[in-house]
Amino acid sequence: MRVVVADDAVLIREGLVRLLEEFGCEVVATVGDGDALVEAIAEHRPDVSVVDVRMPPSFTDEGLKAAVEARRRVPGAPVLILSQYVEVSYADDLLADARGSVGYLLKDRVVDVDEFLEGLRRVAAGGTVFDPQVVSQLMVRRRKDDPLAQLTPREREVLGLMAEGKSNPAIGRQLVISDGAVEKHIRSIFNKLGLYADDSDQHRRVLAVLTYLRS
């Protein structure tokens, strides 16, 4: 994978570079601010970018703003937000184009390198991966016309785990249900959200997760 790394903290940025290169990724650019991130994505068209939220000059949400702008200039550019903080202000904009290829993980909760790399590959391939705490924060602002209102509690559980990037077998293990039951719940979710078989299962999975996170 060709990767852009954006983080203003030099030690974290260089640590990420060494980790990614150790596992066979090619880091095509490293940057420390939002403007440089937008330019790097536009120039290099990486397979995925790893982006911190808080960067110069205000250290609030410049990384998210830059990721949104980068995806405006390069539609669907895969972005994995990796931060210590949950910032929902621009997260909705990041999800709004319904293209997938987005993720948001929290640095202090990434405890397994293989899981991090799997999340990175999932985003690069057009999927989504979100930390449970990020999902919880996004869920606080439910709309009155909630498109998920018709889902059962179990279907919401399944969809929430899909948003975390879990596979069907992993969902089954966590909920202690069979793979067949997981597939049945997912088919029901697709039908209730109007995601019919014209699209691939992977695309419908992404659209269902994006509906969940934006609702």
Side-chain angles (χ1 to χ4, degrees):
M1 283 188 297
R2 300 173 65 255
V3 185
V4 167
V5 175
D7 197 306
D8 67 290
V10 175
L11 291 180
I12 292 176
R13 189 169 69 228
E14 294 306 314
L16 271 172
V17 169
R18 296 181 83 170
L19 173 68
L20 292 167
E21 290 180 340
E22 180 181 343
F23 284 86
C25 298
E26 178 189 358
V27 178
V28 296
T30 61
V31 299
D33 63 77
D35 290 343
L37 169 64
V38 174
E39 294 305 320
I41 291 176
E43 177 182 351
H44 295 286
R45 307 296 172 107
D47 297 313
V48 64
S49 299
V50 182
V51 181
D52 188 23
V53 168
R54 298 186 176 183
M55 292 195 289
S58 70
F59 295 95
T60 54
D61 52 14
E62 282 82 358
L64 269 175
K65 289 180 184 177
V68 171
E69 173 62 17
R71 282 169 65 91
R72 187 188 67 78
R73 290 179 54 178
V74 183
V79 172
L80 175 63
I81 302 296
L82 182 64
S83 178
Q84 290 176 284
Y85 311 98
V86 180
E87 292 285 352
V88 299
S89 55
Y90 280 84
D92 280 339
D93 293 333
L94 196 60
L95 298 168
D97 62 13
R99 293 177 182 272
S101 296
V102 292
Y104 198 138
L105 299 177
L106 299 180
K107 290 176 181 176
D108 60 353
R109 288 168 55 84
V110 176
V111 296
D112 187 296
V113 171
D114 288 337
E115 286 187 8
F116 167 69
L117 293 171
E118 174 57 30
L120 199 65
R121 286 190 286 267
R122 184 182 297 274
V123 171
T128 59
V129 57
F130 285 81
D131 185 274
Q133 287 190 10
V134 177
V135 174
S136 295
Q137 289 293 319
L138 289 170
M139 291 300 96
V140 167
R141 340 120 15 269
R142 283 277 182 213
R143 296 185 338 214
K144 289 183 179 179
D145 58 337
D146 183 1
L148 308 181
Q150 58 189 322
L151 300 187
T152 67
R154 177 62 91 186
E155 288 166 351
R156 286 173 181 258
E157 284 184 296
V158 170
L159 188 49
L161 293 172
M162 289 166 61
E164 293 172 26
K166 295 191 183 300
S167 65
N168 288 9
I171 292 171
R173 287 193 296 271
Q174 184 153 337
L175 298 181
V176 197
I177 58 177
S178 69
D179 288 355
V182 173
E183 291 173 6
K184 182 178 178 181
H185 285 310
I186 291 175
R187 285 197 301 271
S188 178
I189 290 166
F190 288 163
N191 288 334
K192 289 180 179 179
L193 295 181
L195 303 173
Y196 301 114
D198 294 341
D199 290 318
S200 68
D201 280 352
Q202 174 64 19
H203 189 220
R204 288 194 294 170
R205 197 179 185 98
V206 170
L207 291 176
V209 167
L210 294 177
T211 300
Y212 177 71
L213 295 172
R214 296 200 311 265
S215 64

